[in-house]
Amino acid sequence: MKKRLHKWRIIPVLAIVSFLLAGCGEPFLSTLQPAGTVAQSQLELMILSTSIMVLVIVVVTVIFLMVVIKFRRKKGDNEIPKQVEGNHKLEIIWTTIPILLLLILAVPTVAATFNFADVSGMEKDEEGNRDGLLVNVRANLYWWEFEYPDYGVITSQDLVVPTGQKVYFNLKSSDVKHSFWIPAVGGKLDTNTEVENKFWLEFDPEAADEVADNIFYGKCAELCGPSHAFMDFKVKALSKDEFNSWITAMQNYEAPDLTDNELAQQGSEIFAQNCIQCHAISPIDERPEAARTAPNLATFGDRVRIAGILPHEEEYLKAWLADPEKLKPGNKMTNTYPDLTEDQIDALTEYLFSLKVQE
């Protein structure tokens, strides 16, 4: 019996620790620090629903305590109280109040749902312009591709968006069901193999800078395989002018000049022999989707993360090149990737870090 009591003492400790850990985390991964129009609306709906629930709990608890105290059995009092049935006023009150509370919650929820689902601005008008930016998102095991059809640009793993305007997303999947989610900005929405889902987000320029220093983290929110937890992507939120400059640089992309870098030249040759059949090294990739079986590496040197999860440093890239299966189990690169020597890995690392946007 004492052993059981001793075990029960651990529960309050675990509860306190869990409560404290619930406050840990980064703002760019938190839905409670919104940095966009959609996220702000979703937070307001969460606050509204939570407030209603707390109000109901408080009222019910107060009534319960009043009844327990007022109608408790007194010492020596064995008389049965008068039994009252069918109070129509009370029945009308406790039926009407829940209906009103549901309406208070349902009306803004339904309105917000239809607003978020309105993607009419995705279509071009008579002059060939859209209401915002269109991005085609394609989910793969376990990486993301982002296509800007109006500009002919394709990137992988790093999504670049302008702030202060709507960004429309056209979501699809190449293999299994995934889910596109940027916690601090809004979402989530599934990516399917047959049906394309569409929605929009808007990145607030001030909040983006304050909350996340203009770098957000996106995740797959649908269990999709052994490396589901590692299927991350990064979002760079730029001002409209900076975004236009980035698009121009991508459209005018030039391969890096390796004349004075012998090690990178060796890496380029290794890449051409082993990697080019899957990985593109130009943001203007005209291959059909079926041929784009691996992330586009055109701007690898400019990225925030390696493989979506590792720090953008040479040692982590070398670890990835040495054994991708160890770091991301079940990835498609494992079965097609050749064994490389340390010298080859060094050369390939030097080359990949040289792949940057040439302005």
Side-chain angles (χ1 to χ4, degrees), residues 179-196:
S179 190
F180 179 85
W181 187 29
I182 308 174
V185 187
K188 67 181 179 64
L189 197 63
D190 288 347
T191 66
N192 303 302
T193 55
E194 298 178 356
V195 179
E196 295 183 358

Side-chain angles (χ1 to χ4, degrees), residues 108-262:
T109 300
V110 172
T113 301
F114 277 93
N115 182 33
F116 299 156
D118 181 12
V119 292
S120 56
M122 181 183 290
E123 303 299 329
K124 291 184 177 181
D125 57 22
E126 296 178 354
E127 298 178 357
N129 299 319
R130 302 184 197 274
D131 181 42
L133 174 69
L134 174 62
V135 180
N136 291 331
V137 178
R138 187 164 64 99
N140 308 269
L141 293 169
Y142 298 94
W143 58 279
W144 299 85
E145 179 182 86
F146 307 107
E147 179 183 8
Y148 303 78
D150 293 339
Y151 303 101
V153 170
I154 293 178
T155 68
S156 297
Q157 299 298 83
D158 280 13
L159 169 65
V160 181
V161 296
T163 58
Q165 72 175 70
K166 286 186 177 181
V167 181
Y168 294 95
F169 295 98
N170 191 32
L171 307 176
K172 48 192 168 183
S173 172
S174 295
D175 31 58
V176 300
K177 182 188 289 292
H178 301 279
S179 190
F180 179 85
W181 187 29
I182 308 174
V185 187
K188 67 181 179 64
L189 197 63
D190 288 347
T191 66
N192 303 302
T193 55
E194 298 178 356
V195 179
E196 295 183 358
N197 285 332
K198 303 176 181 180
F199 81 129
W200 61 271
L201 296 174
E202 186 171 343
F203 296 74
D204 181 79
E206 294 183 3
D209 182 48
E210 180 180 346
V211 172
D213 196 21
N214 294 319
I215 298 292
F216 296 95
Y217 281 47
K219 302 185 71 67
C220 174
E222 183 76 24
L223 183 60
C224 55
S227 286
H228 158 69
F230 302 134
M231 191 172 167
D232 295 358
F233 62 94
K234 305 302 170 285
V235 186
K236 296 181 181 180
L238 307 176
S239 66
K240 293 181 181 179
D241 291 339
E242 290 175 328
F243 177 78
N244 291 334
S245 298
W246 177 80
I247 283 290
T248 301
M250 294 290 280
Q251 291 175 326
N252 298 319
Y253 178 85
E254 296 179 1
D257 183 4
L258 306 177
T259 305
D260 299 327
N261 193 333
E262 184 178 350

Side-chain angles (χ1 to χ4, degrees), residues 248-289:
T248 301
M250 294 290 280
Q251 291 175 326
N252 298 319
Y253 178 85
E254 296 179 1
D257 183 4
L258 306 177
T259 305
D260 299 327
N261 193 333
E262 184 178 350
L263 186 60
Q265 290 182 32
Q266 296 174 8
S268 176
E269 294 172 1
I270 296 171
F271 187 91
Q273 294 172 0
N274 300 285
C275 314
I276 197 65
Q277 61 266 33
C278 297
H279 295 279
I281 52 174
S282 171
I284 310 300
D285 191 351
E286 298 180 353
R287 296 179 301 169
E289 286 184 3

Side-chain angles (χ1 to χ4, degrees), residues 293-314:
T293 56
N296 188 303
L297 301 178
T299 58
F300 184 88
D302 292 326
R303 290 187 182 171
V304 179
R305 293 281 181 176
I306 295 171
I309 56 172
L310 302 173
H312 197 256
E313 300 173 11
E314 288 189 4

Side-chain angles (χ1 to χ4, degrees), residues 17-37:
V17 172
S18 300
F19 179 77
L20 294 175
L21 290 176
C24 299
E26 300 291 348
F28 48 74
L29 269 173
S30 174
T31 58
L32 302 180
Q33 292 183 266
T37 304

